[in-house]
Structures are given as structure tokens and as C-alpha cells.
Amino acid sequence: MTAFFLLVCSVAASMLVIPLAWRLAPRIGMVDQPDPRKVHKLPVPRVGGWGIVAGCLLPLLLLGTDSNPLLQSFMAGTLVLFAFGAWDDARQISHWPKFVGQVLAVGLVIFWGDLYITRLPFFDGDVLAPWAGRIFTMVAMIGVINAINHSDGLDGLAAGETLLSLIAVAFLGYLAGAPLVLHLALVVIGGIFGFLRYNTHPARVFMGDAGSQVLGFATGLLVVYLIQHANSAASAALPLLLLGLPIADICAVLYLRISGDMNWFKATRNHVHHRLLDLGFTHFQSVVVIYSLQACLVTAAVLLRYAPDLVVIGVYAIAITGLFTLLWRAERSGWQLTADAWRLPAQLSRILARLRHSARVQSGFVWTIAVTVSSLLLLAVFGSHQVPRDFGVFAGVAVLLAVMVALAYRAWQGMALRVIVYMTVAFATYLLTTYPTEAGVDLQQGFGAVIILLAVALGIFVRFVPDQSFGATPTDYLIAFALIALLAFGGIGTASTGLGAPLRFVTFSIVLFYGCEIIISHLQRWRSVLGSASLATLLVVAVRGLTTGI
């Protein structure tokens, strides 16, 4: 229940704070202007970090820190980096003040939270003295902060890479029985998900230094704590795979700057994403390629968590060497990606074109998605044998707010409808998968089969139905990677760790979220039906939770 609460509150806080912050952005100078080195062509508010930080801190404040020095130092360090990052986003300060902020934030974790590295690859036990471990940790964590900060060059890129790393960290923390790792990872994941809602290409908001530095700080802290304390049996070299591509990218960029006799701290166009763009990859393709590489690295981290250090380092070295060798050879040979590389055979293209423009096919998908999503929301809540009282309270408040909005505007409005629908999906799927009745267990199996069919229908709709406003984005691929990984890793110790219910909850929720988004974004005549189904579901949750809840 705590993990669910943290994740939901984090996503909600991030999604709600960002729209408020971007209204203030022009007044306080937090707008990113285009220049020759950047990809975007129009001014974009740089306040996404506000939502990420709100998603990280507000749920923890509601839950309480329980006098945990490490948790308190994390929150204090996050505020320090947010302050210095926001200063840079508004005034474009030099790298030295930002470095001071990074030292302060990391110092809080090392000296107040008492977290530092003592284990190193190829050595058994603790080999670093406390003073050496603290220095090494300071350098390593500042390096991670800057690696994530400098990877923030395309819409959704730094957030997506960090999200993949944190999903692996959260999973390893869950398996290791480390609630601190799981809970901290979840609040950052929630903040990222809320931010990505506004950062998919073309982005309406950038995270800025206030967001990217906090992501690097949180990821570095969690990786150190996981490997040094929560699961000290894991390979000490595992951070290479968990942190993945950003570390290799920043090292390669520094090498190119030093070898080219350039300023170490001056921004240049020699990051991996810039090099992919120069080879002819589109923004979409570049982000998906980098997501794919990062996903492979963090997957290897989970699979090789107890492997010898030499194996872990070898896998990382082979992957990174292969990447940069391919980039170097492509650049040296003048190779460019062309549209012909993605063209389907002529006969298959004609068949797909006929299907895309078939009114009967389109109507079939529309009805399948709309009816299935609305029905599943109502069915899910009746498959649980109990509803916690706090669920009933939240649902009751949501019902009252929804009715007020509907009466005020005489229709279901965009953001209000999304908040109600998303809350309904989360509540209904959580109750079905966590508190199933005997009939509910059978319902889950049927529910799962319908979810698979719905997922197929959604994929076909997004990919092939023309003139629809909900197109595939790199974030969709990111979520698909995460979902596939969760399903694949679900077999690792599911019986002993109880991962079955969380995996079903995540799977059902993600598919239903996408179904609801398609209805809200495209199927306008179904908005009132979806809103009514959500309202009825929340009303059932409220009544059951308030009358019989525990």
C-alpha cells in the first residue's frame, strides 16, 4: 500500500505542478531560447524540474521521514540542487556555482546520511577507508549528476534514460527487501512519468538543470546505497550497467573535448544523440535508439547482478565499444540513414493502406477500445473482496470534485477528466489485483486475456489509423520496454517475493491508461461515457470503502 501511495501521489504532484510552473516561466526568465547547438526551434519553458522535485518530495513529506538521516539528507540535497538548478535556469550562471551546489548536496548525503563507497570491483569486503570512501563517493556522485545533466539534449532523453535505470534499481531493491530503495526509486519514477506527460516530442516543457541535476543525484544515491548496503552480495561493478549510457557518453565527450583542445565545460555537439542526428536519424529514431541501448544495459544489470566483476565490466565494455565503433565508422565513411531503409515492401504497403482507410476496420477498433475500457473499469472493482477505508475517502472526494467540475462546465473537461479517469484506473486495477475474491481470481484471468486483446487493438490503432491525434512517441516505446522487462523478470522469484500482483497491476494499468488516453484525445463522443463509467466506479469504491473498509 505504501509503494502504491507513493507512486500515485508522485505522478499526480508532478502532473499538477508543471502546468502551474510554466505559467510563471516567462515572468521569472525560465524559458529556453533556441540556438545553433540546440534542437528546438521555439522558446520552451524550463520548469519541468519543478514537477520532478514536487513528485519526489511531496509524497515523502506526507509519509514522514521517520528520523532517517539518509532520507532526510536526500530531501535536503534535492532542495539544494533544485535551488541552484533553478538559479541557472533563470540566470544562466557559470559552471562553478553549480559545482558548489553539487558539492553541498552530495556532502549532505555523505556526512549527514553517512553514505559512502567502501566496496570496489575485484576486491572482497570493504577496501576503502572511510576518508577515502567519502572522497571517492563525492567524485562519483558529482560525475553521475553531470552525466545525466549533459544527456538532456533531446525531448524525453535524460528522463527516459534515468527512468530505465530507476526501474532496474527499484526491482533490485524489491528483490533485496530494501524498502528505502524501492520507495525512493518510486517517487522519482513518478516524478519522471508526470514530467514525460509534457516532454514528449515536440516538448511543451524542458526539465532544466533543476530537474536533470536532481535526477542524477537521486540515481547516484540509490545505486550507491543499493550496491554498498542493501545488497552487498551484488557485483561491485554493477553501477556501470545500471547507470549505462550517460556515463559512457560524458566520458567520450570529455575525451573529444580534451583531444580537440577545447574548453572542458563548454557545450558542444558531440554527444551520442547529436551524432545520431548528424547521421540522418530523426529526433524520434535517435531517442528510441538510445532508449534501446539503455534498456539492454539495465536488463543486463538485473540478469548479471551476482556475476563476477570481470564479467559485468566485460559486458559493459563490449556494448559501449561496439556503439562508439559503429558511430566512428559511420562518420568516417560518410554513411547517412535514408528513408528507403524504413520502407516496407510494395505489396505489404498496399494492403496496409487499404486497411488504414477502411471505415469498417476503423469503426471496429473504435468500438472495441471504447466499450472494453469503460466495461473493464466497472468490472474490476467488483472483483475485490474489500476496499481500504482510505481508498473510500479519496474516491469520495474525487466524486464530489468530478460532479462540481461537470456541473460548472456542463461537460467533461480535459485535465479534470484525465485526473478522474487515471485515478479510477489505478484504484480499480489495484483492488482487483491486491484483494481479489475467489471469483476475482478467475476474473483476473479473463481480465488478462481481454487486456492482451485490448493492447493489440491499441497498438494497431496508434500505428495504422490515419488522422488521429494520439500518435506513437518515444515515451510509448519507453513504457513498452519497462512493461516487457517487468513481465520477463516476473518469473524471477515471483513465488517468494510476491511479484505476481504488482506485475498484474502494472500491466493492467498501463494498457488501460493508454486506452483512456486514446478515448480522451480522439474519440470525443465517448468522453462522456468514459467519464460516467469512471464516476460510477469511484462511487462504488467510495461506498464500499466508507461502509465496510478497514
Side-chain angles (χ1 to χ4, degrees), residues 20 127 140 167 272 350 450 525:
L20 298 176
V127 295
I167 288 173
V272 169
R350 286 194 295 270
V450 175
R525 61 184 177 178

Side-chain angles (χ1 to χ4, degrees), residues 54 85 106 133 167 176 209 282 356 381 384 406 453 477 493 534 536:
V106 176
I167 288 173
D209 273 27
T282 65
R356 290 183 67 199
V381 75
S384 62
L453 295 176
Y477 286 87
S534 300

Side-chain angles (χ1 to χ4, degrees), residues 349-430:
S349 295
R350 286 194 295 270
I351 294 173
L352 291 176
R354 285 198 297 269
L355 290 175
R356 290 183 67 199
H357 293 90
S358 169
R360 181 174 298 179
V361 171
Q362 292 182 32
S363 178
F365 281 119
V366 167
W367 278 88
T368 298
I369 293 168
V371 173
T372 303
V373 170
S374 300
S375 302
L376 288 178
L377 291 179
L378 288 168
L379 285 174
V381 75
F382 287 105
S384 62
H385 67 80
Q386 69 179 49
V387 175
R389 185 174 297 277
D390 50 358
F391 270 47
V393 173
F394 279 118
V397 172
V399 169
L400 292 176
L401 292 176
V403 171
M404 291 170 60
V405 170
L407 291 176
Y409 292 96
R410 299 181 182 276
W412 287 100
Q413 298 297 304
M415 182 55 69
L417 176 59
R418 280 188 169 89
V419 171
I420 295 299
V421 168
Y422 290 168
M423 182 182 295
T424 305
V425 169
F427 279 11
T429 52
Y430 182 83

